[in-house]
Amino acid sequence: MGHTQVLGSAEFRAPPNVYCADVALQAQDLDNGAAVTSGVEEHEESSMTKVPSDLDWLLPGSIKSYAEAGNPNDSAQVNPLAFTETLAQLAKENGAEVIIGSATTINYRDKHSGVSSVSYTQNGTSKTLEATDVLLAAGPWTPKLFPATNLGQPPRGHSVVVRPSRHLSPYVLFPNISAPQSGSLSDLLSPEMYPRPGDKIHDFDTIYACGPDDYDVPLPDTTDTVAVDEQRCNDVYTAVGSVSKPIHDGEIITKQACYKPQIRPHEEDEEVGPIVGPTCIQGLWLATGHDEWGIQNAPGTGLVMSEMIFDGSAHSADCESLDPKNFLKWD
């Protein structure tokens, strides 16, 4: 559990430190009479891997292998909504004006020599904001405002937020789940699992689980029209509930989907992007193409972008390979 600080009038809860692990798990069909025993020792008997004793929310005997990928000394997690809302509040307290609207057009001076303003809608009213600099960080929607941004068709990912039947110890798991040999479960997904302590969004423990990407539905015009496939969400919940009784006996409180700003499809361990830096148009800056690493890399992106815009160059990181000139595509 992270500790709480007060910065100005904004309450900031330090990110909770966590363990992270790659695990191989054996599912059980709890809806069709699978027996559930107790005792974490049974994990160790079924595997040569040492399993932490407080990882007690997985089904006994389900862990076939366990490899630590992070620990509380080097790993933490944030709730994306609480994180972004806190940063916005801190920015306001330091003099920024936060406008919630939907950008429609970036306007330029003669012959696209530089930016002049941004047009947007707010509560159904069209407005324009004059600007000397525009930092475009619209995720997969970036090409709609600046078509030269060379992003591929964005993948859509489904996830669920579950209120488990009891507290879950802080282990973020990246599993490979095998279906049971008998029963109704087959072709199970292997969703990532992120237990979260209570926070400003939910005052109770939750677990966030996300499934694989699909390219079945094109990117809609706005975030509030993203199509959520109920069955894909149910498949995520079925998989994580097949390896944990507290999750199986819990309650789904959110089913959701999101699109990711992907430059192109890539292998799991291949690094592509993001796109960070100035364009050839004076005053127009890009920060996009983070794929599934948006929340992880957003703070660092914000830091180097502020250095570029206010100091003239980034000095906290070498961003040469991320320069938009390496990615833009002009008609």
Side-chain angles (χ1 to χ4, degrees):
M1 174 72 72
H3 61 280
T4 299
Q5 302 176 15
V6 176
L7 304 176
S9 64
E11 181 181 281
F12 177 75
R13 185 182 297 275
N17 298 82
V18 296
Y19 292 91
C20 300
D22 296 305
V23 293
L25 302 176
Q26 177 65 59
Q28 296 185 35
D29 192 349
L30 298 181
D31 290 327
N32 286 283
V36 178
T37 57
S38 61
V40 72
E41 293 80 5
E42 295 196 28
H43 291 307
E44 298 178 39
E45 292 175 1
S46 63
S47 170
M48 298 300 292
T49 305
K50 176 69 175 178
V51 178
S53 60
D54 57 341
L55 179 52
D56 58 358
W57 47 272
L58 294 175
L59 292 174
S62 63
I63 301 179
K64 302 306 177 184
S65 69
Y66 178 96
E68 184 177 285
N71 61 65
N73 294 321
D74 58 26
S75 301
Q77 67 164 323
V78 296
N79 182 307
L81 178 58
F83 179 60
T84 51
E85 286 184 341
T86 298
L87 289 182
Q89 180 61 32
L90 292 173
K92 289 168 64 176
E93 293 179 2
N94 283 274
E97 179 183 0
V98 178
I99 299 173
I100 306 299
S102 179
T104 55
T105 309
I106 299 173
N107 304 308
Y108 303 96
R109 299 194 297 270
D110 292 342
K111 297 181 180 180
H112 281 60
S113 60
V115 298
S116 62
S117 61
V118 175
S119 297
Y120 66 98
T121 59
Q122 185 179 47
N123 300 323
T125 301
S126 297
K127 300 182 179 182
T128 299
L129 180 67
E130 293 185 358
T132 59
D133 292 87
V134 175
L135 172 53
L136 183 53
W141 284 272
T142 301
K144 291 183 178 292
L145 292 167
F146 188 53
T149 310
N150 190 23
L151 296 182
Q153 179 183 346
R156 179 183 62 163
H158 284 81
S159 59
V160 296
V161 179
V162 177
R163 182 176 187 174
S165 61
R166 66 170 177 84
H167 170 72
L168 305 182
S169 53
Y171 285 84
V172 172
L173 301 181
F174 307 101
N176 183 359
I177 300 177
S178 300
Q181 295 182 351
S182 60
S184 61
L185 298 180
S186 61
D187 299 323
L188 285 173
L189 304 179
S190 293
E192 298 175 2
M193 294 182 275
Y194 299 80
R196 294 173 175 170
D199 53 30
K200 63 184 293 185
I201 306 302
H202 302 294
D203 61 0
F204 47 82
D205 285 5
T206 59
I207 183 166
Y208 166 83
C210 55
D213 294 336
D214 71 81
Y215 295 86
D216 296 346
V217 180
L219 184 73
D221 290 335
T222 60
T223 57
D224 57 0
T225 56
V226 170
V228 177
D229 187 321
E230 291 276 331
Q231 186 57 54
R232 289 182 185 272
C233 290
N234 292 339
D235 290 344
V236 171
Y237 180 60
T238 296
V240 295
S242 71
V243 295
S244 172
K245 191 74 163 59
I247 299 176
H248 176 274
D249 294 345
E251 172 191 6
I252 299 179
I253 58 176
T254 304
K255 295 180 179 180
Q256 57 197 3
C258 68
Y259 285 84
K260 303 167 187 176
Q262 187 179 81
I263 296 172
R264 61 171 173 80
H266 55 84
E267 298 299 325
E268 184 71 26
D269 57 353
E270 182 185 9
E271 296 182 4
V272 181
I275 305 172
V276 176
T279 69
C280 60
I281 299 175
Q282 183 177 356
L284 180 60
W285 309 78
L286 289 182
T288 189
H290 292 74
D291 210 328
E292 71 267 38
W293 299 105
I295 289 297
Q296 161 137 340
N297 292 331
T301 299
L303 174 61
V304 296
M305 288 306 310
S306 68
E307 294 171 349
M308 290 181 189
I309 295 172
F310 293 109
D311 301 336
S313 63
H315 48 79
S316 294
D318 180 0
C319 300
E320 177 60 30
S321 65
L322 311 180
D323 193 311
K325 69 184 179 184
N326 301 318
F327 301 97
L328 296 183
K329 183 177 182 180
W330 302 95
D331 292 334

